Amino acid sequence: MTAQRTYGGISAEERRAQRRAALLEAALEIIGTEGLAKLTVSGLCARASLNERYYYENFDSRDAVLTALIDGIAAELAAAILTAVRTAAADTRATAHAAITAGVHLLTDDPRKAKAALIAGMATPELRARTTETVRTFARMVATEGTDFYRIPDSGPAAMVEFRALYLVGGLVQTLTAWLQGDLDLTRDELIEQTVDVFVLLGEDMAGKLR
């Protein structure tokens, strides 16, 4: 039984996790360099140097692969943003700048991630629904951080906070998608600065209304 559980000091669960990670990395590479149409079971397994049975050990469809990939990128993005917020100077612009820079850099330092998260995420109705829920999750995170930052009481206008957070996150997703497709003539730094301007404007305006 021990021999079945471990091999070379690595457990069966660890080996499975490694294979899953290899498949997701292969999916990211294929989408990022060849396009979504090239993401097939045989192509994915060849890229990951794995037998096709290991694909079916982890996934039952291409949508399942894309969902796992998008969820993984979203988790990385949330961690990067929250770390940036926690370590930023305690003023509105510095906090917004740190958070937005962290998010934009994570998605654009490795352009494959932006392509997978923002473009492949719209490939099917199911993935579009998943992307919509991910946007709402990030909007809730922005709302929570904004409520804490501006010390908005629990009895404060939740609808205003939620609206502005969703407006900001949804607008940023659309803007970043347009920028990645070459539809906005801005450098990355200019994109970040203009996004920060909008976040600060709406945040400070909200804080002013609540004072």
Side-chain angles (χ1 to χ4, degrees):
M1 292 294 293
T2 301
Q4 292 177 356
R5 290 197 302 269
T6 62
Y7 181 80
I10 302 174
S11 71
E13 284 190 8
E14 289 172 326
R15 292 198 301 275
R16 179 172 178 171
Q18 289 174 349
R19 291 192 292 266
R20 180 182 173 85
L23 287 166
L24 290 175
E25 176 61 28
L28 182 63
E29 178 64 15
I30 291 170
I31 294 168
T33 61
E34 300 178 50
L36 186 59
K38 296 294 185 179
L39 187 65
T40 63
V41 173
S42 58
L44 184 59
C45 292
R47 176 79 67 171
S49 300
L50 291 171
N51 187 288
E52 287 189 16
R53 73 185 178 92
Y54 293 124
Y55 170 88
Y56 294 105
E57 171 188 67
N58 290 281
F59 306 107
D60 59 9
S61 66
R62 188 176 75 160
D63 272 14
V65 175
L66 292 173
T67 297
L69 184 60
I70 292 166
D71 286 351
I73 294 169
E76 284 186 69
L77 190 58
I81 291 170
L82 288 174
T83 297
V85 168
R86 299 290 182 265
T87 56
D91 70 77
T92 304
R93 188 169 189 87
T95 301
H97 195 280
I100 292 163
T101 298
V104 171
H105 276 231
L106 187 138
L107 290 173
T108 58
D109 284 347
D110 183 350
R112 302 174 306 166
K113 292 181 179 179
K115 191 168 185 179
L118 302 177
I119 298 173
M122 303 302 288
T124 67
E126 293 77 15
L127 287 167
R128 287 195 291 273
R130 189 73 170 204
T131 298
T132 297
E133 181 53 37
T134 300
V135 168
R136 288 173 177 162
T137 297
F138 276 92
R140 287 192 289 269
M141 184 176 77
V142 169
T144 298
E145 292 298 319
T147 298
D148 290 345
F149 185 86
Y150 290 113
R151 296 184 175 86
I152 298 172
D154 293 339
S155 59
M160 178 193 292
V161 176
E162 291 168 5
F163 169 81
R164 293 191 181 213
L166 186 56
Y167 182 88
L168 289 168
V169 175
L172 177 54
V173 169
Q174 292 299 318
T175 301
L176 186 55
T177 300
W179 181 76
L180 289 166
Q181 293 173 335
D183 295 332
L184 287 175
D185 186 19
L186 297 170
T187 66
R188 184 170 70 170
D189 286 346
E190 288 170 341
L191 175 72
I192 289 170
E193 291 300 327
Q194 293 206 33
T195 302
V196 171
D197 287 344
V198 174
F199 269 67
V200 170
L201 178 65
L202 288 185
E204 289 294 310
D205 178 74
M206 181 180 69
K209 284 179 165 60
L210 299 177
R211 291 191 183 109

